[in-house]
Amino acid sequence: MQETAIERVRKANSIPELMDGAVAAYSDLVAFQNYSNSLSFGDMGRYTDALAAFLQTEMGVGKGTKVALMAPNCLAHPCVTLAILKCGAIQVSVNPMYTPDELQHQLIDSEAEVILIFSGSIASFARIRDVVGVKKVVVIHLGDCGQVALPSPPVPDGFDDFVLLSDALKKGATLPFTPVAVTRDDLALLQYTGGTTGPSKGAMLTHGNLLANLDQFHDVFAGITEEGEEIIVTALPLYHIFALTGNFLFYASFGGTNILITNPRDMDQFIGAIRNARFTRINGVNTLYAGMMLHPEFAKIDFSRLKLALGGGTATLQVVSDKWQAATGKPILEAYGLSETSPALTVSKPDGREFTGTIGYAVKQSEIRIVDENDVELPDGEPGELICRGPQVTQGYYKRPEANAEAFTKDGFFRTGDIAIRDDQGRYKIVDRKKDMVIVSGFNVYPNDVEQTASRCSGIQECACIGIPDEVTGEAVKLFVVRKPGTSVGKDEIIAFCREHLAAYKIPKQIAFIDEVPKSAVGKMLRRELRGK
């Protein structure tokens, strides 16, 4: 009798072992689609093995080697990840849009020795190549691992001493591979945080962390999962932990298909890619869902097989979920996690029929506490910092003993830095980031609360709330607003709306109009970039 997907997850000692099982079970099924190309599970296995042999034999990649992967969503991305892990190496996931300074910090901090990099990102790497420890380079083109060559930015003039991924795959297919013993205790990823509270840090995630989170995903979604039948829209970037675990690894573990969207900002291409795909699930952030619904072709997307729309990364606004549900028949159900938790920590029940404004329930084997500033656990309904402990929680930050001392309680709970409440049904709700909270005359103002309310005002497309110094109240609320195209909503209208719906101390004292709210690559609002403006 063939093993089930969840049995393989629980039995596996490493991510490569799990994926080898998926390749054997679903060899002829499509694992990934991207533009006009597709990649079967069988071909994914062959490319992974060839690249692993090349990295091991030609580039000296072995157990513990730090290998950076800097590429957008493309067919090569999952093959590269699995090849790195098959060698026993540690993947350093890098945003392909990083500036030279950001890239330099991450490569030096992680001690990466090898990089597999998208040709469109080489210009940034070329500027800092001489000051980082990366000496071996493999260049990825968009159509690699597919049947059709796709347009990719050329390698800049003057940049040499690299190997094309296509050549590495050809040579690797002729080379032997020496199996590497990889266990659940071995590091798989240095997953860098978004740096919303300072310089980005590498969260150390083991194979066991990732496998535990996959087990937790299977536990939550067992009732709506059909092996070999699910299709997930993957517009979130695979270099981010949400998509890496929640899309790539989870759906591949049971023979699902990932539709990889390389550039979700190209909304015409994005909508075209999924319009007739009859996908069953989509994971996204609030800005992604909102942007999709603004597109004139949105109404033509076939939602007939949609089972679940999951939101994470940042708070989903009720107005966005309500509009999505009216169009698709499904609400956006929220989940919560961090790079440090692999990522899932809480998930809403997948059979939910309405938007609740909560992040759902703790996944199995996870302990969550809501505590005050003295780490004393608070009763239901009281806001405090969410701290957690579980098999998916990071081993700590790479080379950061001081940060680790601050990040964990004496009894091993990880401090998320998020303010949350637990309701009487056992569900959690994120109130705000601990460091984003605004204190007005001694009253706590949570920016999410102000943003959720203000976003319902006619003419506001999106908004962001921060605290500013105030001589009388200590701090006051400032709201940055992006108007909907073709509208001219004014400051007085917004303040009047807020006055009608918010307590007096929460009403914005200042309104500023901006073209866009700054966000991280995954769509998380970066309020810190608005401070001082």
Side-chain angles (χ1 to χ4, degrees), residues 161-174:
D161 191 22
F162 64 86
V163 178
L164 290 174
L165 178 61
S166 54
D167 292 335
L169 292 171
K170 290 175 185 175
K171 187 164 187 178
T174 69

Side-chain angles (χ1 to χ4, degrees), residues 103-161:
L103 179 58
Q104 178 177 324
H105 164 73
Q106 191 163 330
L107 294 180
I108 291 176
D109 189 77
S110 66
E111 300 175 319
E113 301 174 39
V114 179
I115 190 168
L116 291 98
I117 184 170
F118 178 55
S119 59
S121 301
I122 288 177
S124 291
F125 176 67
R127 289 177 55 184
I128 51 95
R129 185 175 188 178
D130 292 340
V131 298
V132 299
V134 176
K135 303 305 177 188
K136 298 173 182 178
V137 182
V138 178
V139 173
I140 299 169
H141 286 308
L142 201 55
D144 287 342
C145 300
Q147 305 85 6
V148 180
L150 297 173
S152 285
V155 176
D157 291 339
F159 187 89
D160 52 17
D161 191 22

